[in-house]
Amino acid sequence: MTTTSSVVKPVSQMQLAPGSVVTIPNVSWQEFELILHELTVCNRHKFTYLS
């Protein structure tokens, strides 16, 4: 039997190299807006919501 555990880190702590792509599955529009709100201090990122 395999058990999994979630790791929770603030999105603002992510450090990505230029050109990096991160895919987060099963994110609601409300969760996406929270992510954008958390990262508003840094406007060098591009975000796309695909439903």
Side-chain angles (χ1 to χ4, degrees):
M1 179 181 206
T2 303
T3 59
T4 60
S5 61
S6 297
V7 175
V8 178
K9 292 275 189 179
V11 176
S12 59
Q13 289 185 1
M14 294 176 65
Q15 295 180 346
L16 303 171
S20 294
V21 175
V22 174
T23 301
I24 306 171
N26 303 317
V27 173
S28 69
W29 179 252
Q30 291 78 17
E31 291 169 317
F32 183 70
E33 286 183 323
L34 289 172
I35 292 169
L36 292 178
H37 179 71
E38 186 174 337
L39 295 175
T40 54
V41 294
C42 181
N43 60 1
R44 63 179 187 208
H45 303 291
K46 178 181 176 182
F47 297 93
T48 304
Y49 182 84
L50 302 173
S51 56

